């Protein structure tokens, strides 16, 4: 209706199948919302209002007789929505059976007044979407450091210099400056001893500086 009244030029450019899909989704969602609302009201012993909710859900799931009427749009034989017709038929049968059972229980046991429609204080409430907020990365805080706090660059680089010197003297037997793999490091006892020595040297330098 809004397209037809306010944007007739754009309306002619839209695929009719797309409008059928949108109309189908809106109304089936409305019907399901009323169905589960009725279930919730029935569990809360509000039997009359629950019957009114299921009755409205049944009307919302029917095929509309006019283009602007209530209910689902008519699905053409070539529409992809044809695959949903069996499930839609079962859904309608289930609501009809449930409505008949509830009306019988209310007439014989509960005697609650059934309103013509769901009251405003019991109806589904629309969800108000908040204004979109643009995400902004906070750059005021320092990034996470990759070194221990309080250790200067000289202390960190001292084992590296010794290792480079050692690699330079053993260039013929080593594979270069690349660090060993995890398996080699775990099986090579000399490498583990070197790591322990480097850690002990760093700790000693830190203690001496304090």
């Amino acid at each position: 209706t809004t397209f037809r009244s306010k944007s007739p030029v754009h309306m002619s450019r839209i695929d009719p199948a797309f409008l059928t899909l949108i109309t189908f989704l809106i109304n089936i969602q409305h019907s399901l919302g009323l169905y589960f609302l009725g279930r919730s009201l029935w569990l809360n012993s509000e039997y009359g209002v629950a019957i009114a909710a299921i009755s409205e859900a049944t009307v919302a799931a029917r095929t509309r007789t006019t283009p602007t009427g209530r209910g689902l749009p008519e699905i053409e034989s070539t529409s992809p929505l044809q695959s949903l017709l069996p499930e839609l038929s079962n859904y309608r049968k289930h609501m009809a059976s449930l409505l008949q059972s509830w009306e019988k229980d209310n007439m014989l046991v509960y005697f609650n007044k059934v309103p013509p429609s769901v009251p405003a204080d019991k109806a589904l409430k629309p969800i108000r979407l908040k204004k979109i907020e643009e995400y902004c990365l906070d750059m005021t805080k320092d990034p996470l450091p990759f070194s221990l706090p309080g250790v200067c660059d000289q202390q960190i680089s001292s084992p590296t210099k010794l290792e480079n010197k050692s690699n330079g003297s053993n260039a013929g037997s080593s594979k270069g400056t690349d660090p060993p793999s995890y398996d080699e490091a775990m099986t090579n006892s000399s490498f583990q001893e070197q790591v322990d020595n480097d850690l002990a040297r760093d700790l000693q330098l830190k203690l001496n500086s304090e």
Side-chain angles (χ1 to χ4, degrees):
T1 304
T2 304
F3 274 127
R4 293 187 179 92
S5 59
K6 296 185 178 181
S7 302
V9 177
H10 299 290
M11 179 68 182
S12 60
R13 300 168 57 187
I14 298 178
D15 187 357
F18 174 75
L19 297 178
T20 302
L21 173 63
I22 296 299
T23 306
F24 179 87
L25 291 177
I26 292 174
N27 287 275
I28 197 65
Q29 182 67 34
H30 181 60
S31 176
L32 289 172
L34 289 169
Y35 169 79
F36 287 107
L37 174 64
R39 284 285 192 179
S40 176
L41 292 171
W42 187 268
L43 292 177
N44 292 332
S45 302
E46 301 182 52
Y47 306 108
V49 184
I51 292 174
I54 295 298
S55 179
E56 289 191 28
T58 304
V59 174
R62 293 174 182 170
T63 302
R64 60 177 59 178
T65 56
T66 60
T68 58
R70 296 179 61 186
L72 302 177
E74 185 177 357
I75 300 176
E76 299 179 356
S77 58
T78 58
S79 174
L81 295 175
Q82 281 285 333
S83 59
L84 299 178
L85 288 182
E87 296 184 12
L88 181 59
S89 178
N90 293 333
Y91 173 60
R92 289 169 175 169
K93 291 179 182 178
H94 168 70
M95 284 198 299
S97 175
L98 181 65
L99 182 61
Q100 182 180 3
S101 174
W102 283 6
E103 288 176 340
K104 181 179 179 180
D105 292 343
N106 187 54
M107 287 187 297
L108 297 178
V109 181
Y110 304 116
F111 305 104
N112 282 15
K113 181 180 180 181
V114 180
S117 61
V118 179
D121 58 334
K122 301 293 184 180
L124 295 172
K125 301 297 188 300
I127 299 176
R128 295 184 178 180
L129 299 178
K130 295 183 178 179
K131 183 180 179 181
I132 299 177
E133 298 180 0
E134 184 179 357
Y135 176 76
C136 182
L137 182 62
D138 187 9
M139 300 297 295
T140 58
K141 299 180 180 180
D142 294 334
L144 182 66
F146 289 100
S147 61
L148 296 176
V151 180
C152 62
D153 296 337
Q154 182 178 1
Q155 295 173 352
I156 296 177
S157 60
S158 57
T160 306
K161 293 180 180 179
L162 293 175
E163 183 179 358
N164 292 338
K165 184 177 179 181
S166 175
N167 290 336
S169 60
N170 299 327
S173 60
S174 64
K175 298 182 180 180
T177 58
D178 294 335
S181 64
Y182 178 79
D183 294 335
E184 293 177 352
M186 295 302 295
T187 56
N188 190 351
S189 58
S190 61
F191 177 78
Q192 296 180 4
E193 292 178 359
Q194 181 181 355
V195 172
D196 293 339
N197 294 333
D198 293 340
L199 293 175
R201 188 182 303 106
D202 291 341
L203 180 60
Q204 186 64 40
L205 291 173
K206 184 178 180 180
L207 294 175
N208 293 338
S209 63
E210 295 178 354

